[in-house]
Amino acid sequence: MRALKDYSNIVVRYDLLDEKEQDTSGGEKLNDESMQQVMDCIVKGNKDGITDAINAALEGNDPLDVIDVAVDAMDEVGRLWDEGTYFLPQVINSADIMLEALDICEGEMGTARESKGVIVAHVPEGDIHDLGKNIVTALLQANGFEVIDLGVDVPSEEVVEAVKEHDPIMISGTALMTTTMSGFEKTANLLLEEGLEVPLVCGGGAVSGEYMGGIDLGIYGGDDATKAAPMARDAAAGASWKEIREKYNS
Amino acid sequence: MSLSTKMAYESAEELVFGTAKNPVKYGFDLEVGGGCVYPELVPHPRPKAASSKKEIVKEYKKMITDVLDVTVGLGFPGIQIELEHVSQMTSNPDWGAEVSAQTKALLEKYYNQYGLKGAIRSTIADHREPLQEDIRNGKHMEYMLEAFDACAKNGTDGLSIESIGGKEISDHCIVREDIRGVLFGIGVLGSKDMEYIWSKIVDIANKNGVVPAGDTDCSQANVAMFMSGGYHGKSVSHVFATFARAISAARTLVAHEQGAQGPTKDCAYESPIIKAITGDPITTEGKASACAHSDLMGNLIAAVTDLWSNEAVEYQDMFAGSSVKVFAEILSYDTALMNTSIEAGQAKILRDLMVHSDLYRDPQAFILAPHNAYEIGSAIVENSSSYYERARAAALKAGELMAADDNLRLSQAENDMLKTTMEELESFPEKEEDFIDECVDHYKEIITDFKPENYGL
């Protein structure tokens, strides 16, 4: 098929107007080369190299210090995401590698590191789409939170029971279908009846800011999963659901 | 299994909207692919209406009546209704059956009174959970098959599903842009699951004298497409989603090799490739499915369609009346224009205009243009030794096509994705058994609940 002479009145490729140079240099270099390797593996998504890098770093460093470097690496990944250099797959790949790094370090310590807080994640009753939940869970875990994953098709009563059992700082919910997201409202109402004012952060294809704004406890998680960790950090610091909503949804 | 070894058409130039080599005639005189395009309206009940059988049946009656009224009121010759099951309609097969029976009664009334041509597609929901159950013999499979049978016995003319085999792998791999996992999840596992379930669906259809219509890779390739988003998207690369789409054609084709006749499901964006290979009529959705989601090929995807769909619209009030009425009108005017061009002998000109609208809008649109869809279809039939080999061939051809056309502009990141993905594809084993061995070992370690036995492995 022969191309037309001029497509400029048919399509404008706005994505090509302002291309960014990819800077994955990883920020300031560390003095310890083995720690720099850990940083590079996580920032650059080098899954094959992480085990050797962590083991090398552990030879001369305390596991908690190695974990600190891994956390700094995830912060760098977050910066690259914020500036538009990294896309979600790179963030998730780095999160996967971070979790592997943590596993090795915690194995060395003989104990799990203290989590920043517990979060209950779920997909509401009637909905079986779990991709969004799995992305949120991976990112929260990589950022140091413990996630109680209730799975899919979860009745509101079960969410409330999980909240009573685990005392989370936040609840995360994802829904793909409009016919199922009413579960979030039901969950919020049941929680309030029990006096449990836990921030309920929800997202997914069906969910909108307007919908979540109409539910007490409700916070809209956004178009992608990357706001989950910053919101969780605020919740861990004691922010109320109203304060988190004000900060992220205004 | 019997894999396709030839194309239904001599060349891409033969492909056009409204005409298929193997038209399907059913319902009340509706012939899909027999020389004109019909609209397919997909109404979606409101959340509260799904609370009971009585409520959902009532909701559908209102929706279908609105659709048929406007179709007659504005003078359109025919319409297909898709009853896309919300979960309750499948898990309670009598709900889906009653909605189907009621819809058939309404279509019959309008056919008898006005001669309005019509048919019904029922799309059964796939709730199987591959990480938790035996998806071939578990309870979800059981009531899926029951729902197919119940709908077929109660007025449905064509049976469809959006099947999910392999999704547990492809979901994990799409968000990580892992092409090996996508090839495994869609091209191998998806195909094997399609072979299994479609043999059963075709049996049910044949026993009940209805048409086994077709499937879609919505649960996999459309996940990649939706996550890639528009030009603002930062979730998945558009080039990566394009590779997933090419692979999906090799998978969706399996339904037809098992006996499906078309029309394919509306959200099977890979359908132009399916039509080129099989000659079966296809359903597509584009600009008129903006009520459900966006895509970057709103005009192009109509170029070779036989049924033109709105995907799904929830029953709401709009200024002009109900949403289903509004979208039935939009779809019908679109098909009226296509049919006018057919009648005027100008169909191929309109087809080419549709193609040019979106050919260079995005690589996902680019590979579904008829001439490129035909090339990918040819690669599939020329590599017919196994599901894996033909799916890999489809991906490699898509990559070659993207690289060869300078008018298809890509960002540096997308160009890098194209290059690295092609290198990876070329490095994979030649033989399916070697690829499968490698993937089963690898993905069982990462996705610990993965059950290869669900796919006969």
Side-chain angles (χ1 to χ4, degrees), chain A:
Chain A
M1 165 170 260
R2 212 169 54 199
L4 300 176
K5 267 203 308 208
D6 182 3
Y7 284 89
S8 59
N9 286 328
I10 300 170
V11 57
V12 178
R13 293 293 306 274
Y14 294 104
D15 56 322
L16 301 178
L17 291 180
D18 185 25
E19 279 201 66
K20 285 185 178 357
E21 188 75 37
Q22 285 225 344
D23 168 22
T24 54
S25 58
E28 204 175 301
K29 296 293 174 201
L30 300 171
N31 291 330
D32 183 327
E33 203 180 303
S34 66
M35 294 289 228
Q36 184 63 47
Q37 274 298 307
V38 171
M39 171 78 79
D40 286 348
C41 280
I42 294 174
V43 173
K44 293 180 185 176
N46 179 359
K47 203 173 280 219
D48 292 335
I50 191 64
T51 304
D52 287 346
I54 290 288
N55 287 331
L58 285 171
E59 277 176 21
N61 295 281
D62 189 271
L64 283 173
D65 292 335
V66 178
I67 289 176
D68 280 346
V69 167
V71 168
D72 287 345
M74 276 310 295
D75 286 344
E76 173 63 9
V77 170
R79 184 191 71 78
L80 290 166
W81 160 266
D82 284 339
E83 69 168 35
T85 304
Y86 268 14
F87 282 20
L88 187 66
Q90 283 130 325
V91 174
I92 294 190
N93 279 324
S94 293
D96 285 346
I97 295 167
M98 166 76 167
L99 290 174
E100 233 178 284
L102 288 179
D103 266 349
I104 299 171
C105 291
E106 287 172 354
E108 181 74 10
M109 282 160 45
T111 177
R113 70 170 178 154
E114 200 178 320
S115 88
K116 291 179 185 170
V118 173
I119 293 162
V120 166
H122 78 294
V123 175
E125 189 169 13
D127 198 327
I128 57 160
H129 302 91
D130 65 354
L131 183 54
K133 173 187 66 67
N134 292 345
I135 294 171
V136 167
T137 298
L139 294 176
L140 287 170
Q141 287 173 332
N143 279 274
F145 294 95
E146 181 188 348
V147 179
I148 308 298
D149 185 348
L150 300 180
V152 301
D153 189 17
V154 184
S156 297
E157 292 80 2
E158 206 176 302
V159 178
V160 174
E161 285 310 305
V163 168
K164 286 180 187 170
E165 184 185 342
H166 297 286
D167 191 23
I169 55 167
M170 188 172 103
I171 304 162
S172 159
T174 57
L176 193 69
M177 298 153 55
T178 53
T179 43
T180 59
M181 68 180 189
S182 54
F184 296 144
E185 190 172 355
K186 185 176 174 190
T187 298
N189 289 339
L190 288 174
L191 287 167
L192 287 166
E193 277 173 24
E194 303 264 5
L196 298 164
E197 289 212 14
V198 182
L200 176 60
V201 178
C202 298
V207 182
S208 66
E210 198 183 318
Y211 179 75
M212 291 310 296
I215 302 174
D216 283 350
L217 303 185
I219 297 154
Y220 177 50
D223 291 338
D224 58 59
T226 55
K227 291 279 178 296
M231 287 181 181
R233 280 194 281 274
D234 287 346
S240 69
W241 65 270
K242 286 184 188 171
E243 287 165 340
I244 298 173
R245 182 197 277 185
E246 175 66 29
K247 182 174 174 181
Y248 292 94
N249 295 166
S250 299

Side-chain angles (χ1 to χ4, degrees), chain B residues 285-435:
Chain B
E285 62 192 36
K287 59 189 175 183
S289 64
C291 47
H293 59 73
S294 287
D295 62 52
L296 286 153
M297 57 190 92
N299 284 320
L300 180 147
I301 199 65
V304 300
T305 197
D306 301 297
L307 264 183
W308 183 231
S309 167
N310 70 301
E311 165 56 36
V313 65
E314 190 175 283
Y315 194 43
Q316 300 287 350
D317 286 330
M318 304 181 84
F319 280 148
S322 71
S323 53
V324 300
K325 166 192 172 292
V326 165
F327 278 86
E329 179 174 337
I330 291 171
L331 288 171
S332 296
Y333 272 116
D334 280 346
T335 59
L337 180 62
M338 288 188 248
N339 294 335
T340 303
S341 75
I342 292 171
E343 191 55 37
Q346 308 288 306
K348 288 188 178 177
I349 292 179
L350 180 57
R351 174 199 67 188
D352 290 351
L353 295 174
M354 290 168 167
V355 170
H356 278 299
S357 163
D358 307 322
L359 182 61
Y360 298 119
R361 194 174 298 277
D362 190 83
Q364 295 169 93
F366 175 78
I367 65 149
L368 295 173
H371 60 293
N372 289 329
Y374 191 91
E375 295 285 317
I376 294 170
S378 298
I380 288 173
V381 306
E382 285 162 16
N383 289 274
S384 56
S385 319
S386 70
Y387 292 140
Y388 158 70
E389 286 168 69
R390 72 181 190 181
R392 178 173 174 242
L396 284 166
K397 177 56 70 176
E400 281 167 31
L401 291 167
M402 285 190 271
D405 192 332
D406 291 336
N407 289 302
L408 180 67
R409 295 165 61 214
L410 299 173
S411 66
Q412 187 55 53
E414 294 280 11
N415 258 315
D416 290 345
M417 174 61 66
L418 177 55
K419 183 165 168 288
T420 55
T421 306
M422 287 296 279
E423 283 167 3
E424 280 191 70
L425 285 165
E426 276 153 8
S427 77
F428 293 156
E430 293 300 316
K431 296 269 175 238
E432 182 178 73
E433 52 268 31
D434 295 335
F435 181 74

Side-chain angles (χ1 to χ4, degrees), chain B residues 110-126:
Chain B
Y110 281 74
Y111 179 70
N112 288 339
Q113 191 171 355
Y114 302 105
L116 177 68
K117 296 175 186 176
I120 301 168
R121 180 203 308 266
S122 281
T123 300
I124 307 307
D126 188 346

